[in-house]
Amino acid sequence: MTLKVLMVTQWFDPEGGSAAQAGVIARSLKRHGAHVEVLTGFPNYPSGQVADGYRIRPYLRETLDGITVHRAPLWPSHDSAATRRMLNYLSWAAGAGVVGALRAPPADAVLVHSTPGTAGLPALALKATRRLPFVVHVQDLWPQTVLASDFLASGRARRLERPLHLMCDTIYRHASAIAVTSPSMAPRVAERGVPSDKIRVAANWADESIFRPVARDEDLAQRLGLTRPFTFMYAGNLGPYQGLDTLLDAAALLRDRTDIGIAVVGGGVREQALRNRARTMGLQAVQFVGPVPFAEMTPVLALGDAHLVSLQDLPLFRMTLPSKLQATLAAGRPLVGAVTGDAALVVRESGAGPVVTPGDAPALAGAIRNLADLSREALADRGRRARAHYVDNFSEDVSSRVLLELLEQAAGTRARAAA
């Protein structure tokens, strides 16, 4: 009997960057035999502008890659203003609650792609109104993510702390199971009173149709202006937590290395500020490529001789495996990890490249120099190690089976209760 899954996620295709992970998971569950439909919002990540071809309306049904998608209205925003960001989160949660009640298809279980944490609210409504069990796949810990963010003043953070804790505790208590994306998240969830046998690790994986090893395309390199002998690349969201000012500072320390180019691929709320700063600093080696459609990333990533995976050194991020890490490993690219905690451990274990302290520009510049001085064969060996580590630890087959098992258990519990 086919398992019917309703995935509840604020972010979904055609949104890119970390927001693309929900689509990766949905398509994987479908490939593994589940019937999947998605309850989501109108695409506006990471720019905060509604994507071309869409306009906000009370409801939209469409089909993407054979998956029926139900879109609920929201207030589009993804800037650094706390009020607008929370309005974005809460407006979608409310809209999805209504659309879910009126339009959601029959399902055996619900999978909550929990980022932001408010994504669990429509699932609570579905459980209350239609008795649908749900599994929460925690992408980032709430309320820690909100309370640690720099867009909340201390007074507002204190006022929000109690209601956010209450929301998260309610969602976790009513969930059939909780999957976390990194090992260090599990004890933090358990601290909230969640039984340990209700928690499983299901790390995110990359879209393996896109993030895979391919040969360098010299024509594309010429078109993008990435023609120096060694290209160090950052490809992803240009947000406040990626610490990309450190990359610019490292580039300034590498002015003597005319063989090294720095490529910045992607968009986000800090894109213009980074462009302006690079221009002011006179960083001729830094090339801003801009956003690239997710489906076209395969050959672009191959132009990076080594890649940067970076997050600011905040306590919360020590429990985070950013989706960019799995994507870079899956693509078989050498990398520098400007990360701490679980992510740093993965980089070290993979053998794909060095780990440096986030925010340490001289250390990052030194790591880039060392990689640029390696032979092509030595770089290729690091790329092979990256790919092998991904296949053994983070592949679709490894983690999707954990999610399917949890969803099947939730559906089985519901069936037994109804019998």
Side-chain angles (χ1 to χ4, degrees):
M1 186 175 178
T2 300
L3 179 69
K4 296 177 181 177
V5 177
L6 176 63
M7 185 174 191
V8 175
T9 171
Q10 182 166 341
W11 321 115
F12 198 71
D13 303 348
E15 291 168 314
S18 60
Q21 188 63 38
V24 172
I25 294 170
R27 289 187 292 275
S28 174
L29 297 180
K30 181 175 182 289
R31 280 192 297 272
H32 281 79
H35 175 81
V36 181
E37 298 196 26
V38 174
L39 174 59
T40 188
F42 286 82
N44 68 111
Y45 180 92
S47 66
Q49 304 297 313
V50 178
D52 291 344
Y54 292 89
R55 63 180 177 83
I56 304 296
R57 59 183 78 177
Y59 172 69
L60 174 66
R61 176 187 171 120
E62 63 177 330
T63 301
L64 299 174
D65 294 327
I67 295 174
T68 300
V69 179
H70 307 267
R71 295 196 184 272
L74 49 70
W75 177 271
S77 176
H78 198 72
D79 60 22
S80 57
T83 300
R84 289 193 291 271
R85 185 78 70 87
M86 290 306 296
L87 182 58
N88 171 255
Y89 295 163
L90 293 173
S91 64
W92 176 77
V98 174
V99 169
L102 299 177
R103 301 281 190 166
D108 299 313
V110 172
L111 176 63
V112 178
H113 186 73
S114 186
T115 179
T118 46
L121 296 176
L124 280 177
L126 286 165
K127 184 173 183 180
T129 59
R130 296 175 55 179
R131 297 185 179 179
L132 289 179
F134 64 91
V135 173
V136 178
H137 194 194
V138 178
Q139 302 292 312
D140 45 36
L141 287 172
W142 273 51
Q144 294 94 325
T145 297
V146 175
L147 299 177
S149 63
D150 56 8
F151 62 76
L152 279 181
S154 59
R156 182 175 293 179
R158 285 194 297 272
R159 289 193 298 273
L160 284 175
E161 185 171 3
R162 185 174 179 182
L164 286 175
H165 275 293
L166 178 62
M167 179 192 75
C168 293
D169 288 342
T170 303
I171 291 169
Y172 290 165
R173 184 171 63 253
H174 287 277
S176 296
I178 299 168
V180 295
T181 52
S182 72
S184 292
M185 284 185 179
R188 296 301 298 273
V189 172
E191 288 171 2
R192 307 189 71 86
V194 179
S196 58
D197 60 0
K198 191 175 174 177
I199 307 168
R200 295 277 299 277
V201 176
N204 284 329
W205 61 95
D207 187 332
E208 294 169 10
S209 67
I210 293 173
F211 297 101
R212 66 186 194 278
V214 296
R216 178 183 174 89
D217 183 337
E218 292 295 346
D219 290 337
L220 178 62
Q222 291 288 334
R223 289 199 302 274
L224 296 181
L226 306 182
T227 57
R228 297 200 182 200
F230 181 88
T231 296
F232 187 70
M233 179 177 288
Y234 174 85
N237 180 36
L238 310 186
Y241 298 122
Q242 281 68 41
L244 297 177
D245 284 291
T246 304
L247 177 60
L248 299 186
D249 293 337
L253 297 173
L254 293 168
R255 292 180 193 274
D256 61 312
R257 292 295 297 265
T258 58
D259 58 319
I260 298 175
I262 309 292
V264 180
V265 180
V269 296
R270 295 219 63 242
E271 178 181 1
Q272 194 55 55
L274 291 167
R275 286 178 179 269
N276 292 343
R277 185 163 185 256
R279 189 180 305 113
T280 299
M281 296 172 70
L283 300 177
Q284 302 297 322
V286 178
Q287 178 80 26
F288 285 86
V289 175
V292 173
F294 193 65
E296 299 174 17
M297 283 298 295
T298 308
V300 173
L301 291 176
L303 300 181
D305 296 294
H307 285 250
L308 174 65
V309 176
S310 62
L311 279 175
Q312 289 183 10
D313 186 13
L314 299 175
L316 188 62
F317 293 154
R318 295 168 194 162
M319 297 177 285
T320 298
L321 293 181
S323 58
K324 179 173 168 45
L325 175 55
Q326 287 93 316
T328 306
L329 294 172
R333 309 310 301 164
L335 62 87
V336 176
V339 289
T340 57
D342 284 357
L345 182 62
V346 169
V347 175
R348 291 189 181 99
E349 289 179 343
S350 72
V355 173
V356 299
T357 302
D360 189 337
L364 178 57
I368 297 170
R369 284 180 188 272
N370 291 339
L371 286 170
D373 289 338
L374 292 177
S375 67
R376 284 290 153 186
E377 179 53 36
L379 281 173
D381 179 64
R382 281 163 175 72
R384 286 190 291 269
R385 293 182 189 182
R387 176 67 183 182
H389 192 77
Y390 171 81
V391 170
D392 290 343
N393 297 276
F394 300 108
S395 65
E396 172 185 327
D397 194 55
V398 171
S399 289
S400 63
R401 291 187 184 278
V402 174
L403 293 179
L404 278 171
E405 180 183 331
L406 295 177
L407 289 165
E408 288 167 351
Q409 289 172 355
T413 300
R414 180 195 186 204
R416 289 190 295 273

